[in-house]
Amino acid sequence: SYSEEDDYISKGVAISDEIELNQKNTTLAFGVNYLDDEIQIIQLGDKRKDSYDIFTGVTQVIDKNTVISADLTLGFSDGYLNDQYKVVQRDEILTLPDIEVDVGGGDVLVIPGEQVPVVNIYRENRPDFRFRQVLQLGGKHYFEAEKATIKADLRLSNDDYGIFSQTAQVEWRQQLGEKLQLVPFFRYYHQNAADFFVNDLNNVDVVTPANDPDGSGPHYSSDYRLSSLEAQSVGMRMRYEFSDHFTTTAAYERYVMKGVGGGDTSPSDAYPSANIFTVGVSLTF
């Protein structure tokens, strides 16, 4: 894979395989991914980041209408893991220089410089290494009388940033006639804050924050995505087959994120919400 933006270049490779056992009722999957990223940062030049993922999983057919699965991923990231556009503020005192006034007769009056409160901003400083563990459990069951399928997934993720997150999603795929399918869905996400999440540097033991953070401590970030938060999505997808070669889709999703957990959250207006509409067509030749 290759991806390029104005300030980001990513090159990657992925290798995976599957083994079918038990008369193809059991499928084992495994593989590795590698990403080589280059981040272009104004005034600091180019930075590098390497990411590795090792994954394995199993899918089991329980009966003709039921399938369950479990997947485990171990991820490693090393290098520049900061977001170059995120800053952290600190309340500081700016001392203006003394003013000397000639009052005549060779005498000079010295007026002490004023002390002015200011708010300065500094680049965030995340650790330069991250280890992630992700476990995903899922299942699907088809109800013959209703001509519908329920699909449910649970995802647990942990990393050495101190973030433990949980995602639960369920959707109901309802077939209406031969051509129309409606899919209402709901997704819930929750995480606690990273160990180094702060809203400001006022209580962080650092004399002069680095202009070019290298991942060494102390670590700090005010990125709301590292705070204690939860998010919910609810919506509906529609798929209609006009013919064997022409299909149209449409979807609406309401997405809301908010901080939870008191002092480990960002200001409320930092969290996004959205009404998401998508439409699409598919042509098969």
Side-chain angles (χ1 to χ4, degrees):
S1 65
Y2 180 85
S3 173
E4 182 173 348
E5 302 176 29
D6 290 340
D7 57 357
Y8 206 100
I9 298 175
S10 179
K11 294 169 286 185
V13 60
I15 301 174
S16 63
D17 196 8
E18 292 183 349
I19 300 175
E20 294 181 329
L21 305 172
N22 189 24
Q23 297 182 336
K24 297 186 178 183
N25 288 317
T26 304
T27 303
L28 302 179
F30 51 90
V32 294
N33 298 333
Y34 170 68
L35 288 175
D36 175 16
D37 297 338
E38 180 179 304
I39 305 100
Q40 301 170 359
I41 305 174
I42 297 175
Q43 299 179 343
L44 298 183
D46 295 344
K47 303 289 185 179
R48 299 293 297 273
K49 179 177 71 173
D50 296 304
S51 301
Y52 310 83
D53 286 313
I54 304 171
F55 65 89
T56 184
V58 58
T59 301
Q60 178 64 49
V61 176
I62 303 301
D63 56 40
K64 68 175 183 177
N65 294 330
T66 308
V67 177
I68 61 174
S69 63
D71 300 278
L72 176 65
T73 300
L74 302 179
F76 309 83
S77 297
D78 180 67
Y80 187 83
L81 303 185
N82 294 325
D83 185 324
Q84 66 266 41
Y85 299 109
K86 297 297 183 182
V87 295
V88 189
Q89 69 181 31
R90 181 165 73 173
D91 298 332
E92 299 179 341
I93 299 296
L94 174 64
T95 302
L96 300 177
D98 296 342
I99 300 176
E100 297 183 353
V101 179
D102 186 355
V103 294
D107 294 331
V108 176
L109 175 64
V110 178
I111 302 175
E114 294 286 339
Q115 290 189 326
V116 181
V118 296
V119 177
N120 288 324
I121 57 174
Y122 300 94
R123 299 180 188 272
E124 67 173 15
N125 185 27
R126 307 186 191 190
D128 60 0
F129 179 82
R130 189 178 189 180
F131 174 44
R132 308 176 306 280
Q133 313 95 48
V134 181
L135 174 64
Q136 181 161 322
L137 306 174
K140 294 186 291 185
H141 180 76
Y142 177 68
F143 298 90
E144 296 183 1
E146 292 78 9
K147 295 184 178 180
T149 300
I150 187 170
K151 181 178 184 294
D153 293 285
L154 175 64
R155 183 176 184 268
L156 305 175
S157 176
N158 183 69
D159 63 32
D160 53 8
Y161 278 12
I163 297 177
F164 176 57
S165 67
Q166 314 88 44
T167 306
Q169 178 171 326
V170 61
E171 62 181 38
W172 180 269
R173 301 176 181 177
Q174 181 64 59
Q175 191 70 32
L176 298 176
E178 296 295 326
K179 298 181 179 297
L180 177 63
Q181 185 183 74
L182 296 180
V183 185
F185 63 89
F186 175 77
R187 181 171 62 251
Y188 175 79
Y189 176 84
H190 174 271
Q191 72 173 42
N192 62 285
D195 294 336
F196 52 87
F197 172 78
V198 293
N199 276 306
D200 54 56
L201 291 175
N202 294 342
N203 296 314
V204 177
D205 186 17
V206 55
V207 178
T208 304
N211 182 55
D212 187 4
D214 60 3
S216 59
H219 302 124
Y220 42 82
S221 173
S222 61
D223 189 341
Y224 74 91
R225 295 170 298 181
L226 298 177
S227 70
S228 179
L229 60 86
E230 68 176 20
Q232 298 183 41
S233 296
V234 61
M236 174 77 74
R237 293 193 296 270
M238 181 274 291
R239 182 175 185 271
Y240 189 83
E241 294 185 9
F242 286 94
S243 68
D244 292 340
H245 303 286
F246 178 55
T247 302
T248 183
T249 60
Y252 166 73
E253 178 180 353
R254 174 60 179 170
Y255 177 83
V256 177
M257 178 187 290
K258 66 179 181 180
V260 293
D264 289 333
T265 63
S266 296
S268 59
D269 56 359
Y271 299 100
S273 61
N275 293 302
I276 304 169
F277 299 88
T278 58
V279 293
V281 294
S282 176
L283 295 174
T284 303
F285 300 97

